Amino acid sequence: MSSSGRELSRRAFVGGVCAAGCLAVAGCAGSSESEPKRSGPLQVPVGDVPVGGGVVLRADQVVVTQPEPGVFHAFSAVCTHDGCLVSSIDKGLIVCRCHGSAFSVDDGSVVRSPAQKPLPTRVVEQTGDTLTITT
């Protein structure tokens, strides 16, 4: 076999590896953060939202809080710093673990940087034991 034959085989191999890598990366791109949000209002049982805390609904990119009994707020779960989804609610703060930003469960305002802007609010209405959030 000539050296040019081996060159072609190497090129084919490298091309195949690159193609496989591209497919793997494309497959990873379908994370819950990039999935389209549901259309229309979101309904959440009141019992799913703990007093003094809240719940992060990652698939819907919404965070719902209940800072005090019977008082509910809803915000975008997309951190205003770098677009990560907030990860949890801890000690009265909505926390983004990507870069450490934290927001108030009362109004979504920035409590800890690097975020500079509050979380955008969502309309939340309570009807009996159900919260309806308009995203």
Side-chain angles (χ1 to χ4, degrees):
M1 190 185 263
S2 72
S3 66
S4 66
R6 280 181 278 188
E7 288 262 333
L8 186 56
S9 292
R10 251 186 251 139
R11 285 184 190 152
F13 174 76
V14 170
V17 169
C18 288
C22 289
L23 288 173
V25 169
C28 291
S31 72
S32 64
E33 294 184 17
S34 63
E35 290 178 7
K37 294 184 288 184
R38 116 184 25 235
S39 62
L42 168 67
Q43 294 192 324
V44 178
V46 168
D48 287 359
V49 185
V51 175
V55 62
V56 179
L57 305 169
R58 293 183 65 79
D60 297 299
Q61 298 183 355
V62 172
V63 59
V64 184
T65 65
Q66 185 178 188
E68 54 187 80
V71 176
F72 297 95
H73 302 289
F75 309 97
S76 167
V78 179
C79 180
T80 58
H81 170 246
D82 199 28
C84 294
L85 292 184
V86 297
S87 51
S88 63
I89 299 173
D90 186 34
K91 299 176 185 168
L93 298 176
I94 302 166
V95 179
C96 180
R97 290 206 174 98
C98 286
H99 300 104
S101 294
F103 305 87
S104 167
V105 295
D106 289 313
D107 60 9
S109 62
V110 176
V111 175
R112 185 172 59 229
S113 60
Q116 299 295 309
K117 297 178 182 175
L119 293 174
T121 59
R122 301 290 184 249
V123 176
V124 60
E125 295 176 355
Q126 181 178 0
T127 305
D129 290 337
T130 302
L131 300 172
T132 301
I133 295 105
T134 307
T135 59

